[in-house]
Amino acid sequence: HVARHGKVVATRFFQWPDGTTKDFFVWGGTKVPTIFLPVTADGQVIVTRQFRWGANAIIIEVPGGNPKNNEDFIEVVRSELLEETGYEAGEIFQTGPLIWFDPASCTTPWRPALVTGCRKVGEPTPDTSELIEVVTFPLDEWVKMVMTGQVNDSKSICVTVFALPHLWCRFTWR
């Protein structure tokens, strides 16, 4: 096992029906994060542009984060939204079941949520390891970006899809 920054890389062994074994590398976090779609009262989606090491690129994505200490998912959303974007959360609710990042190699699921009625109350205060630019898009434009591949972060795509029925929205993106 190698553990750093709340993440673990480990080897797991699987026994096939014929009795042979195979080892696999798996990774995961030690806590279940919440990833959320924040929307203002006037229908603006709040997202970030952030450099991501795995993609070696700046990625447009929705906010999210891990619980600190014994935070529940509502507290995670409130603190991460304020820290990453400078916005205060209105109503918060989970929009779907726990979802696997990558069930082939990641041992951690995440929780999708929707945050409505967000309002700007200050400036972001990201961690020193985060380079974040906060941007907003009208909801219909955001959905078009998701559906046409301009957003390529799987968490952002998934959380958007789970949120749409709760927003009572219909869209065309062609």
Side-chain angles (χ1 to χ4, degrees):
H1 287 21
V2 176
R4 284 185 22 191
H5 308 291
K7 300 207 175 18
V8 176
V9 176
T11 303
R12 282 201 176 159
F13 294 90
F14 175 78
Q15 185 171 355
W16 294 97
D18 69 2
T20 60
T21 59
K22 174 71 178 158
D23 63 325
F24 294 91
F25 284 109
V26 294
W27 66 278
T30 55
K31 298 180 179 183
V32 174
T34 300
I35 312 296
F36 50 92
L37 184 72
V39 183
T40 63
D42 65 348
Q44 297 289 309
V45 175
I46 306 155
V47 297
T48 62
R49 287 189 177 114
Q50 185 171 187
F51 180 80
R52 290 303 195 182
W53 296 101
N56 198 29
I58 294 173
I59 301 295
I60 299 172
E61 61 186 19
V62 297
N66 287 307
K68 295 173 183 80
N69 303 316
N70 293 323
E71 285 182 323
D72 64 22
F73 90 93
I74 299 286
E75 294 166 319
V76 170
V77 170
R78 289 193 189 288
S79 64
E80 290 293 329
L81 180 64
L82 186 60
E83 177 186 301
E84 291 184 10
T85 69
Y87 281 78
E88 183 177 78
E91 186 177 1
I92 303 167
F93 54 97
Q94 187 169 332
T95 56
L98 293 181
I99 300 169
W100 295 99
F101 283 107
D102 173 9
S105 62
C106 181
T107 60
T108 308
W110 60 275
R111 176 179 288 105
L114 172 63
V115 187
T116 58
C118 299
R119 64 184 190 89
K120 181 87 167 159
V121 295
E123 293 304 313
T125 56
D127 293 338
T128 56
S129 63
E130 296 176 312
L131 295 173
I132 298 174
E133 176 190 7
V134 179
V135 293
T136 62
F137 296 98
L139 182 58
D140 60 345
E141 184 178 339
W142 173 255
V143 172
K144 181 178 181 179
M145 291 170 63
V146 165
M147 300 309 289
T148 60
Q150 295 174 65
V151 175
N152 59 2
D153 170 59
S154 62
K155 302 176 312 301
S156 298
I157 295 165
C158 188
V159 81
T160 299
V161 169
F162 271 104
L164 290 178
H166 301 279
L167 295 169
W168 299 98
C169 297
R170 284 190 179 172
F171 293 97
T172 57
W173 47 81
R174 295 208 189 280

